[in-house]
Amino acid sequence: MSTPGAWTEDQIRALREKEDLPFVRADSSGIVQEINDRFKAVYGWSEAALIGQSLGLILPPSFRDSHHAGFARFQLTEVSKVLNHPLKLATFCSDGHAIESEHFIVAEKHSNGSWSFAATLRPLMESS
């Protein structure tokens, strides 16, 4: 049985390639597994600096605790209020400055029951 709102690998691949937007993918624990070249160019992160690290590194410090709580809650309930619609959030660059971005986050449920999460980010404007 599929969970409402779950995406397939083909849909994730299409999202990754959509409009050459920055793309990030994380596992069920919120650990970054993949970023694309556009993400690196816009936000300044290298794969070496971000892959294997918490997705929280790119989020505002004031949002990190609620982000981690949301991941934990999703593991228990498989219900989310942030999936499949645009969210405006600051995205932190590797140099510490923030860019306001529109995040579109999706989730994929794997055959073993685990989840992964992917997002495109559309930079809107630079913030401080």
Side-chain angles (χ1 to χ4, degrees):
M1 177 178 161
S2 69
T3 301
W7 283 45
T8 65
E9 178 61 32
D10 288 340
Q11 290 171 310
I12 299 280
R13 185 174 12 272
L15 183 69
R16 181 186 302 115
E17 297 166 1
K18 182 181 179 180
E19 300 177 42
D20 194 33
L21 290 172
F23 174 88
V24 60
R25 189 173 192 165
D27 67 13
S28 61
S29 297
I31 302 301
V32 177
Q33 301 296 310
E34 175 186 1
I35 57 176
N36 69 359
D37 288 339
R38 186 74 179 136
F39 186 94
K40 292 183 267 188
V42 171
Y43 300 108
W45 291 97
S46 67
E47 288 180 347
L50 200 54
I51 302 296
Q53 301 299 314
S54 171
L55 194 56
L57 289 176
I58 69 167
L59 300 174
S62 62
F63 186 69
R64 290 175 186 163
D65 286 342
S66 60
H67 167 77
H68 294 304
F71 258 86
R73 187 172 43 255
F74 185 83
Q75 297 300 318
L76 295 172
T77 66
E78 295 188 353
V79 174
S80 172
K81 295 179 182 178
V82 301
L83 295 176
N84 303 320
H85 62 87
L87 299 167
K88 285 186 182 177
L89 295 169
T91 305
F92 275 75
C93 300
S94 63
D95 66 5
H97 85 278
I99 297 175
E100 186 177 2
S101 302
E102 182 181 85
H103 296 216
F104 187 82
I105 307 165
V106 300
E108 176 187 12
K109 189 169 187 176
H110 302 281
S111 59
N112 66 2
S114 69
W115 287 86
S116 64
F117 301 88
T120 55
L121 292 79
R122 183 182 308 275
L124 299 173
M125 58 186 276
E126 290 202 25
S127 20
S128 54

Coordinates of all heavy atoms in Angstrom, one line a residue, residues 10-83:
D10 N 11.0 7.6 -10.5 CA 10.9 8.4 -11.7 C 10.5 9.8 -11.5 O 10.9 10.7 -12.2 CB 9.9 7.6 -12.7 CG 10.5 6.4 -13.2 OD1 11.8 6.2 -13.2 OD2 9.7 5.5 -13.7
Q11 N 9.5 10.0 -10.6 CA 9.1 11.4 -10.3 C 10.2 12.2 -9.7 O 10.3 13.4 -10.0 CB 7.8 11.4 -9.4 CG 6.6 10.8 -10.1 CD 5.5 10.6 -9.1 OE1 5.6 10.0 -8.1 NE2 4.3 11.1 -9.4
I12 N 10.9 11.6 -8.8 CA 12.1 12.3 -8.2 C 13.1 12.6 -9.2 O 13.6 13.8 -9.2 CB 12.7 11.4 -7.1 CG1 11.7 11.0 -6.0 CG2 14.0 12.0 -6.5 CD1 11.5 12.1 -4.9
R13 N 13.4 11.7 -10.1 CA 14.3 12.0 -11.2 C 13.9 13.2 -12.0 O 14.6 14.1 -12.4 CB 14.5 10.8 -12.1 CG 15.6 10.9 -13.2 CD 15.9 9.7 -14.0 NE 15.1 8.6 -13.9 CZ 15.1 7.6 -13.0 NH1 16.1 7.6 -12.1 NH2 14.3 6.5 -13.1
A14 N 12.6 13.2 -12.4 CA 12.0 14.4 -13.2 C 12.1 15.7 -12.4 O 12.5 16.7 -12.9 CB 10.6 14.1 -13.5
L15 N 11.9 15.6 -11.1 CA 12.0 16.8 -10.2 C 13.5 17.3 -10.2 O 13.8 18.5 -10.3 CB 11.6 16.4 -8.8 CG 11.6 17.6 -7.8 CD1 10.5 18.6 -8.1 CD2 11.4 17.1 -6.4
R16 N 14.4 16.3 -10.1 CA 15.9 16.7 -10.1 C 16.3 17.4 -11.3 O 17.1 18.4 -11.3 CB 16.7 15.4 -10.0 CG 18.2 15.6 -9.9 CD 19.0 14.3 -9.9 NE 18.6 13.4 -8.9 CZ 18.1 12.2 -9.1 NH1 17.8 11.8 -10.3 NH2 17.8 11.4 -8.0
E17 N 15.7 17.1 -12.4 CA 16.0 17.7 -13.7 C 15.2 18.9 -14.1 O 15.5 19.6 -15.1 CB 15.9 16.6 -14.8 CG 16.9 15.5 -14.6 CD 16.6 14.2 -15.4 OE1 15.7 14.2 -16.2 OE2 17.4 13.2 -15.2
K18 N 14.2 19.2 -13.3 CA 13.2 20.3 -13.6 C 13.9 21.6 -13.6 O 14.5 22.1 -12.6 CB 12.1 20.3 -12.6 CG 11.0 21.3 -12.8 CD 10.0 21.2 -11.7 CE 8.9 22.2 -11.9 NZ 7.9 22.2 -10.9
E19 N 13.9 22.3 -14.7 CA 14.3 23.7 -14.8 C 15.7 24.0 -14.3 O 16.0 25.1 -13.9 CB 13.3 24.6 -14.1 CG 11.9 24.5 -14.7 CD 10.9 25.4 -13.9 OE1 11.3 26.5 -13.5 OE2 9.8 24.9 -13.6
D20 N 16.5 23.0 -14.2 CA 17.9 23.2 -13.7 C 17.9 24.0 -12.3 O 18.7 24.8 -12.1 CB 18.7 24.0 -14.7 CG 20.2 23.9 -14.3 OD1 20.6 22.9 -13.8 OD2 20.9 24.9 -14.6
L21 N 16.9 23.6 -11.4 CA 16.8 24.2 -10.1 C 17.8 23.5 -9.2 O 18.1 22.3 -9.3 CB 15.4 24.0 -9.5 CG 14.3 24.9 -10.2 CD1 13.0 24.5 -9.7 CD2 14.6 26.4 -10.0
P22 N 18.2 24.2 -8.1 CA 19.0 23.5 -7.1 C 18.2 22.3 -6.5 O 17.0 22.5 -6.3 CB 19.2 24.6 -6.0 CG 19.2 25.9 -6.8 CD 18.1 25.6 -7.9
F23 N 18.8 21.2 -6.2 CA 18.2 20.0 -5.8 C 19.0 19.4 -4.7 O 20.2 19.4 -4.7 CB 18.1 19.0 -7.0 CG 17.6 17.6 -6.6 CD1 16.2 17.4 -6.7 CD2 18.5 16.6 -6.3 CE1 15.7 16.1 -6.3 CE2 18.0 15.4 -5.9 CZ 16.6 15.1 -6.0
V24 N 18.3 18.9 -3.6 CA 19.0 18.2 -2.5 C 18.1 17.0 -2.2 O 16.9 17.1 -2.3 CB 19.2 19.2 -1.3 CG1 17.9 19.7 -0.8 CG2 20.0 18.5 -0.2
R25 N 18.8 15.9 -1.8 CA 18.1 14.7 -1.4 C 18.7 14.2 0.0 O 19.9 14.3 0.1 CB 18.2 13.6 -2.4 CG 17.4 12.4 -2.2 CD 17.5 11.5 -3.4 NE 16.5 10.5 -3.3 CZ 16.1 9.7 -4.3 NH1 16.7 9.8 -5.5 NH2 15.2 8.8 -4.1
A26 N 17.8 13.8 0.9 CA 18.2 13.4 2.2 C 17.6 12.0 2.5 O 16.5 11.7 2.0 CB 17.9 14.4 3.3
D27 N 18.2 11.3 3.4 CA 17.6 10.0 3.9 C 16.6 10.3 5.0 O 16.3 11.4 5.3 CB 18.7 9.0 4.3 CG 19.5 9.4 5.5 OD1 19.0 10.4 6.3 OD2 20.5 8.8 5.8
S28 N 16.1 9.2 5.5 CA 15.0 9.3 6.5 C 15.4 10.0 7.8 O 14.6 10.4 8.6 CB 14.4 7.9 6.8 OG 15.4 7.1 7.3
S29 N 16.7 10.1 8.0 CA 17.3 10.7 9.2 C 17.6 12.2 9.0 O 18.1 12.9 9.8 CB 18.5 10.0 9.7 OG 18.2 8.7 10.1
G30 N 17.4 12.7 7.7 CA 17.7 14.0 7.4 C 19.2 14.2 7.1 O 19.7 15.3 7.1
I31 N 19.9 13.2 6.7 CA 21.3 13.2 6.3 C 21.4 13.4 4.8 O 20.8 12.6 4.0 CB 22.1 12.0 6.7 CG1 21.9 11.8 8.2 CG2 23.5 12.0 6.3 CD1 22.5 12.9 9.1
V32 N 22.1 14.4 4.3 CA 22.2 14.7 2.9 C 22.9 13.6 2.1 O 23.9 13.1 2.5 CB 22.9 16.0 2.7 CG1 23.1 16.3 1.2 CG2 22.2 17.2 3.4
Q33 N 22.2 13.1 1.1 CA 22.7 12.0 0.3 C 23.1 12.5 -1.1 O 24.0 11.9 -1.8 CB 21.6 11.0 0.1 CG 21.2 10.4 1.4 CD 22.2 9.6 2.1 OE1 22.9 8.8 1.5 NE2 22.4 9.9 3.4
E34 N 22.6 13.6 -1.6 CA 22.8 14.1 -2.9 C 22.5 15.6 -3.1 O 21.6 16.1 -2.5 CB 21.9 13.3 -3.9 CG 21.9 13.7 -5.3 CD 20.9 13.0 -6.2 OE1 20.1 12.2 -5.7 OE2 20.9 13.3 -7.4
I35 N 23.4 16.3 -3.8 CA 23.1 17.6 -4.3 C 23.5 17.7 -5.7 O 24.3 16.9 -6.2 CB 23.8 18.7 -3.4 CG1 25.3 18.5 -3.5 CG2 23.3 18.8 -2.0 CD1 26.1 19.6 -2.8
N36 N 22.8 18.6 -6.5 CA 23.2 18.7 -7.9 C 24.1 19.9 -8.1 O 24.4 20.7 -7.2 CB 21.9 18.8 -8.8 CG 21.1 20.0 -8.6 OD1 21.4 20.9 -7.9 ND2 20.1 20.1 -9.4
D37 N 24.6 20.0 -9.3 CA 25.6 21.1 -9.6 C 24.9 22.5 -9.4 O 25.6 23.4 -9.0 CB 26.1 21.0 -11.1 CG 27.0 19.8 -11.3 OD1 27.6 19.3 -10.3 OD2 27.1 19.3 -12.4
R38 N 23.7 22.6 -9.7 CA 23.0 23.9 -9.6 C 23.0 24.3 -8.1 O 23.2 25.5 -7.7 CB 21.6 23.9 -10.2 CG 20.9 25.2 -10.2 CD 21.5 26.1 -11.2 NE 20.8 27.3 -11.2 CZ 21.3 28.5 -11.3 NH1 22.6 28.7 -11.4 NH2 20.6 29.6 -11.2
F39 N 22.7 23.3 -7.2 CA 22.7 23.6 -5.8 C 24.1 24.1 -5.3 O 24.2 25.1 -4.6 CB 22.4 22.3 -5.0 CG 22.2 22.5 -3.5 CD1 20.9 22.8 -3.0 CD2 23.3 22.5 -2.7 CE1 20.8 23.0 -1.6 CE2 23.2 22.7 -1.3 CZ 21.9 23.0 -0.8
K40 N 25.1 23.4 -5.8 CA 26.5 23.8 -5.5 C 26.8 25.2 -6.0 O 27.4 26.1 -5.3 CB 27.5 22.8 -6.1 CG 27.4 21.5 -5.4 CD 28.5 20.5 -6.0 CE 28.0 19.7 -7.1 NZ 28.9 18.7 -7.6
A41 N 26.4 25.6 -7.2 CA 26.6 26.9 -7.8 C 25.9 28.0 -7.0 O 26.5 29.1 -6.8 CB 26.2 26.9 -9.2
V42 N 24.6 27.8 -6.7 CA 23.8 28.8 -6.0 C 24.2 29.0 -4.6 O 24.3 30.1 -4.1 CB 22.3 28.5 -6.2 CG1 21.5 29.5 -5.3 CG2 21.9 28.6 -7.6
Y43 N 24.3 27.9 -3.8 CA 24.5 28.0 -2.4 C 26.0 27.8 -1.9 O 26.3 27.9 -0.7 CB 23.6 27.0 -1.7 CG 22.1 27.3 -2.0 CD1 21.4 26.5 -2.8 CD2 21.5 28.4 -1.5 CE1 20.1 26.8 -3.1 CE2 20.2 28.7 -1.8 CZ 19.5 27.9 -2.6 OH 18.2 28.2 -2.9
G44 N 26.8 27.4 -2.8 CA 28.3 27.4 -2.5 C 28.7 26.1 -1.8 O 29.9 26.0 -1.4
W45 N 27.9 25.2 -1.6 CA 28.3 23.9 -0.9 C 28.9 23.0 -1.8 O 28.5 22.8 -3.0 CB 27.0 23.2 -0.3 CG 26.4 24.0 0.9 CD1 25.3 24.8 0.8 CD2 26.8 23.9 2.2 NE1 25.0 25.3 2.0 CE2 25.9 24.8 2.9 CE3 27.8 23.3 2.9 CZ2 26.0 25.0 4.3 CZ3 27.9 23.5 4.3 CH2 27.0 24.3 5.0
S46 N 29.9 22.3 -1.3 CA 30.6 21.2 -2.1 C 30.0 19.9 -1.6 O 29.4 19.8 -0.5 CB 32.1 21.2 -1.9 OG 32.4 20.8 -0.6
E47 N 30.1 18.9 -2.4 CA 29.6 17.6 -2.0 C 30.4 17.1 -0.7 O 29.8 16.6 0.2 CB 29.8 16.5 -3.1 CG 28.7 16.7 -4.2 CD 28.9 15.7 -5.3 OE1 29.9 15.0 -5.4 OE2 27.9 15.7 -6.1
A48 N 31.7 17.4 -0.7 CA 32.5 17.0 0.5 C 32.0 17.6 1.8 O 32.1 17.0 2.8 CB 34.0 17.3 0.2
A49 N 31.5 18.9 1.7 CA 31.1 19.6 2.9 C 29.7 19.2 3.3 O 29.4 19.3 4.5 CB 31.2 21.1 2.6
L50 N 28.9 18.7 2.4 CA 27.4 18.6 2.8 C 27.0 17.1 2.8 O 26.2 16.7 3.6 CB 26.6 19.4 1.8 CG 25.2 19.7 2.3 CD1 25.1 20.4 3.6 CD2 24.5 20.6 1.2
I51 N 27.5 16.3 1.8 CA 27.1 14.9 1.8 C 27.4 14.2 3.1 O 28.6 14.3 3.6 CB 27.7 14.1 0.6 CG1 27.3 14.8 -0.7 CG2 27.3 12.7 0.6 CD1 25.9 14.9 -1.1
G52 N 26.5 13.5 3.7 CA 26.7 12.8 5.0 C 26.5 13.7 6.2 O 26.6 13.2 7.3
Q53 N 26.1 14.9 6.0 CA 25.9 15.9 7.1 C 24.4 16.1 7.2 O 23.6 15.8 6.3 CB 26.6 17.2 6.8 CG 28.1 17.1 6.6 CD 28.7 16.6 7.9 OE1 28.5 17.0 9.0 NE2 29.6 15.6 7.7
S54 N 24.0 16.7 8.3 CA 22.6 17.0 8.5 C 22.1 18.1 7.6 O 22.7 19.1 7.3 CB 22.4 17.5 10.0 OG 21.0 18.0 10.1
L55 N 20.9 17.8 7.1 CA 20.2 18.8 6.2 C 20.0 20.2 7.0 O 19.9 21.2 6.4 CB 18.8 18.3 5.8 CG 18.0 18.9 4.7 CD1 18.8 19.0 3.4 CD2 16.8 18.1 4.5
G56 N 20.0 20.1 8.3 CA 19.9 21.3 9.1 C 21.0 22.3 8.8 O 20.8 23.5 9.1
L57 N 22.1 21.9 8.3 CA 23.2 22.9 7.9 C 22.7 24.0 7.0 O 23.2 25.1 7.0 CB 24.4 22.2 7.3 CG 25.2 21.4 8.3 CD1 26.3 20.7 7.5 CD2 25.8 22.2 9.4
I58 N 21.7 23.7 6.1 CA 21.3 24.7 5.1 C 20.0 25.4 5.6 O 19.5 26.3 4.9 CB 21.0 24.0 3.8 CG1 19.8 23.1 3.8 CG2 22.3 23.3 3.2 CD1 19.3 22.7 2.4
L59 N 19.6 25.1 6.8 CA 18.3 25.7 7.4 C 18.7 26.8 8.4 O 19.7 26.7 9.0 CB 17.5 24.7 8.0 CG 17.0 23.6 7.0 CD1 16.3 22.5 7.8 CD2 16.2 24.1 5.9
P60 N 17.8 27.8 8.6 CA 18.0 28.8 9.6 C 18.2 28.1 11.0 O 17.5 27.2 11.3 CB 16.7 29.6 9.6 CG 16.1 29.4 8.3 CD 16.5 28.0 7.9
P61 N 19.1 28.6 11.8 CA 19.4 28.0 13.1 C 18.1 27.9 13.9 O 17.8 26.9 14.6 CB 20.4 28.9 13.7 CG 21.2 29.4 12.6 CD 20.1 29.6 11.5
S62 N 17.2 28.9 13.8 CA 16.0 29.0 14.6 C 15.0 27.9 14.2 O 14.0 27.6 14.9 CB 15.4 30.4 14.6 OG 15.0 30.6 13.2
F63 N 15.2 27.4 13.0 CA 14.3 26.4 12.5 C 14.8 24.9 12.6 O 14.0 24.0 12.5 CB 14.1 26.7 11.0 CG 13.0 25.8 10.3 CD1 11.7 26.0 10.6 CD2 13.4 24.9 9.3 CE1 10.7 25.2 10.0 CE2 12.5 24.1 8.7 CZ 11.1 24.2 9.0
R64 N 16.0 24.8 13.0 CA 16.6 23.4 13.0 C 16.0 22.5 14.0 O 15.7 21.3 13.7 CB 18.1 23.5 13.3 CG 18.9 24.1 12.1 CD 20.3 24.4 12.4 NE 20.9 25.1 11.2 CZ 22.0 25.7 11.2 NH1 22.8 25.7 12.3 NH2 22.4 26.4 10.2
D65 N 15.7 22.9 15.2 CA 15.0 22.0 16.2 C 13.7 21.5 15.7 O 13.4 20.4 15.8 CB 14.9 22.7 17.6 CG 16.2 22.8 18.3 OD1 17.2 22.1 17.9 OD2 16.3 23.6 19.2
S66 N 12.9 22.4 15.2 CA 11.5 22.0 14.7 C 11.7 21.1 13.5 O 10.9 20.2 13.3 CB 10.6 23.2 14.4 OG 11.2 24.1 13.4
H67 N 12.7 21.4 12.7 CA 13.0 20.5 11.5 C 13.3 19.1 12.0 O 12.7 18.1 11.5 CB 14.1 21.1 10.7 CG 14.7 20.1 9.7 ND1 14.1 19.9 8.5 CD2 15.8 19.4 9.7 CE1 14.8 19.0 7.8 NE2 15.8 18.7 8.5
H68 N 14.2 18.9 12.9 CA 14.5 17.6 13.4 C 13.3 16.9 14.1 O 13.1 15.7 13.9 CB 15.7 17.7 14.4 CG 17.0 18.2 13.7 ND1 17.5 17.5 12.7 CD2 17.8 19.2 14.0 CE1 18.6 18.1 12.3 NE2 18.8 19.2 13.1
A69 N 12.5 17.7 14.8 CA 11.3 17.2 15.4 C 10.3 16.7 14.4 O 9.7 15.7 14.5 CB 10.6 18.2 16.4
G70 N 10.2 17.5 13.3 CA 9.3 17.1 12.2 C 9.8 15.8 11.5 O 8.9 14.9 11.2
F71 N 11.1 15.6 11.4 CA 11.6 14.3 10.8 C 11.2 13.2 11.7 O 10.7 12.1 11.2 CB 13.1 14.4 10.6 CG 13.5 14.6 9.2 CD1 13.6 15.9 8.7 CD2 13.8 13.6 8.4 CE1 14.1 16.1 7.4 CE2 14.3 13.8 7.1 CZ 14.4 15.1 6.6
A72 N 11.4 13.3 13.0 CA 11.1 12.3 14.0 C 9.6 12.0 14.0 O 9.2 10.8 14.0 CB 11.5 12.7 15.4
R73 N 8.8 13.0 13.9 CA 7.3 12.9 13.9 C 6.9 12.1 12.7 O 6.0 11.2 12.7 CB 6.6 14.2 14.0 CG 5.1 14.2 14.2 CD 4.5 15.5 14.5 NE 5.0 16.6 13.7 CZ 5.9 17.6 14.2 NH1 6.3 17.6 15.4 NH2 6.3 18.5 13.4
F74 N 7.5 12.5 11.5 CA 7.1 11.8 10.3 C 7.4 10.3 10.3 O 6.7 9.5 9.8 CB 7.8 12.5 9.1 CG 7.4 11.9 7.8 CD1 6.2 12.4 7.1 CD2 8.1 10.9 7.2 CE1 5.8 11.8 5.9 CE2 7.7 10.3 6.0 CZ 6.6 10.8 5.3
Q75 N 8.5 10.0 11.0 CA 8.9 8.5 11.1 C 7.8 7.8 11.8 O 7.6 6.6 11.5 CB 10.2 8.4 11.9 CG 11.4 9.0 11.2 CD 11.7 8.4 9.8 OE1 11.6 7.2 9.6 NE2 12.0 9.3 8.8
L76 N 7.1 8.4 12.8 CA 6.1 7.7 13.5 C 4.7 7.7 12.9 O 4.0 6.8 12.9 CB 6.0 8.4 14.9 CG 7.2 8.3 15.8 CD1 6.9 9.1 17.1 CD2 7.4 6.8 16.2
T77 N 4.4 8.9 12.2 CA 3.1 9.0 11.7 C 2.9 8.9 10.2 O 1.8 8.7 9.7 CB 2.5 10.4 12.1 OG1 3.3 11.4 11.4 CG2 2.6 10.6 13.6
E78 N 4.0 9.2 9.5 CA 4.0 9.3 8.0 C 3.1 10.4 7.5 O 2.5 10.3 6.4 CB 3.8 7.9 7.3 CG 4.9 6.9 7.6 CD 4.8 5.6 6.8 OE1 3.7 5.4 6.1 OE2 5.7 4.8 6.9
V79 N 2.9 11.4 8.3 CA 2.0 12.5 8.0 C 2.9 13.8 8.1 O 3.6 13.9 9.0 CB 0.8 12.6 9.0 CG1 0.0 13.9 8.7 CG2 -0.1 11.4 8.9
S80 N 2.7 14.6 7.1 CA 3.5 15.9 7.0 C 2.7 17.0 6.5 O 1.9 16.8 5.6 CB 4.7 15.7 6.1 OG 5.4 16.9 6.0
K81 N 2.9 18.2 7.0 CA 2.3 19.4 6.5 C 3.2 20.2 5.6 O 2.8 21.2 5.1 CB 1.9 20.3 7.7 CG 0.9 19.7 8.6 CD 0.5 20.6 9.8 CE -0.5 19.9 10.6 NZ -0.8 20.7 11.8
V82 N 4.4 19.7 5.4 CA 5.3 20.5 4.5 C 5.6 19.9 3.2 O 6.3 20.5 2.3 CB 6.7 20.7 5.3 CG1 6.5 21.5 6.6 CG2 7.4 19.4 5.5
L83 N 5.1 18.7 2.9 CA 5.4 18.0 1.6 C 4.4 18.5 0.5 O 3.3 18.8 0.8 CB 5.2 16.5 1.8 CG 6.2 15.8 2.7 CD1 5.8 14.3 2.8 CD2 7.6 16.0 2.2

